[in-house]
Amino acid sequence: MTVSTGVLVAAVGVVWSMRWKVRISELMPFIAISQILWTLISGAIGEAPTAFVSAGSIFLNQGMSFSTAIYALVFRHFLVFLHNLPIAILTVVAFPVPFGMVSLLAIPGIVLLLLSLVWTTYAIAIICVRFRDLTQVVQSALLIAFFVTPIFWKPSQLPPDTQYLLALNPFADLLSVVRDPIMGDIPGPAEWVGALVFAIGGFVLALPLIGLSQRRIIFWI
């Protein structure tokens, strides 16, 4: 997985730098960090629809909390993220990035990202275990989100009159609060507010759904 991710980052970095006429030293670290973060996001959300069904035999035989499957899901993909992290480190070293103490801001950023993944995957798992056909909708939505999120392209490449579209994409803010500090930049207030609202506000909104569904999930499995 790490090798395939590294090959993808290298290939896209070279091609995109020529296509957009951007220096590879500027684009390669951006793409490497963005792709590794997106692998974490898309992996957790993409597996969420089948989280309860995959562990159905365990739930049917043990009185285990359904949240255990969600925590295990997010933790597993976080370990994959850590496994891919050397790719980002290599690109940052190979293409010197002016990071410093500001890079520590990536720590609260990754906390917000993980918190967002917990409530997002929990809500998706509940909805999809009740309505199994929505699994395909989640996969299609992830594909669309991949193309409209700044992963292989920089937000600055958008025309000024379309910059507001980034504010409508919560994944753009979550990526920004982790990626920008590593790149030596401080995320703007808008990015921090967007990430906080999605992580904490979304968790608060998801709690009623989680609470109401706890006693019903076992019958849907």
Side-chain angles (χ1 to χ4, degrees), residues 130-158:
R130 177 64 181 86
F131 305 101
R132 303 292 177 90
D133 293 340
L134 291 181
T135 299
Q136 298 300 322
V137 176
V138 173
Q139 300 299 331
S140 299
L142 273 177
L143 182 60
I144 296 172
F146 172 78
F147 287 112
V148 300
T149 302
I151 300 171
F152 293 157
W153 49 272
K154 289 189 173 184
S156 58
Q157 293 175 306
L158 284 178

Side-chain angles (χ1 to χ4, degrees), residues 59 65 70 73 83-84 110 168 174 193 206:
F59 293 129
S65 172
I70 302 301
L73 169 65
H83 201 63
N84 289 329
I110 195 69
L168 304 178
L174 291 172
V193 170

Side-chain angles (χ1 to χ4, degrees), residues 163-175:
Q163 287 287 331
Y164 71 93
L165 294 175
L166 290 175
L168 304 178
N169 186 353
F171 295 125
D173 293 330
L174 291 172
L175 286 177

Side-chain angles (χ1 to χ4, degrees), residues 50-216:
T50 58
F52 293 146
V53 176
S54 299
S57 59
I58 299 177
F59 293 129
L60 292 173
N61 289 280
Q62 300 180 25
M64 186 170 58
S65 172
F66 294 107
S67 61
T68 305
I70 302 301
Y71 297 144
L73 169 65
V74 175
F75 182 68
R76 182 167 64 253
H77 286 281
F78 180 65
L79 290 180
V80 174
F81 164 78
L82 295 178
H83 201 63
N84 289 329
L85 195 57
I87 297 174
I89 296 175
L90 287 175
T91 56
V92 168
V93 172
F95 304 97
V97 172
F99 63 91
M101 294 300 294
V102 69
S103 299
L104 295 177
L105 289 174
I107 297 176
I110 195 69
V111 170
L112 290 176
L113 175 57
L114 292 175
L115 184 60
S116 300
L117 287 179
V118 169
W119 78 258
T120 304
T121 53
Y122 210 148
I124 291 175
I126 291 173
I127 295 172
C128 289
V129 77
R130 177 64 181 86
F131 305 101
R132 303 292 177 90
D133 293 340
L134 291 181
T135 299
Q136 298 300 322
V137 176
V138 173
Q139 300 299 331
S140 299
L142 273 177
L143 182 60
I144 296 172
F146 172 78
F147 287 112
V148 300
T149 302
I151 300 171
F152 293 157
W153 49 272
K154 289 189 173 184
S156 58
Q157 293 175 306
L158 284 178
D161 58 340
T162 60
Q163 287 287 331
Y164 71 93
L165 294 175
L166 290 175
L168 304 178
N169 186 353
F171 295 125
D173 293 330
L174 291 172
L175 286 177
S176 180
V177 296
V178 180
R179 178 186 58 218
D180 290 358
I182 299 177
M183 298 285 294
D185 299 322
I186 299 178
E191 284 77 15
W192 281 114
V193 170
L196 280 168
V197 169
F198 187 74
I200 299 176
F203 204 101
V204 172
L205 292 177
L207 284 177
L209 172 64
I210 295 172
L212 291 172
S213 304
Q214 287 301 299
R215 295 185 179 181
R216 297 179 174 87

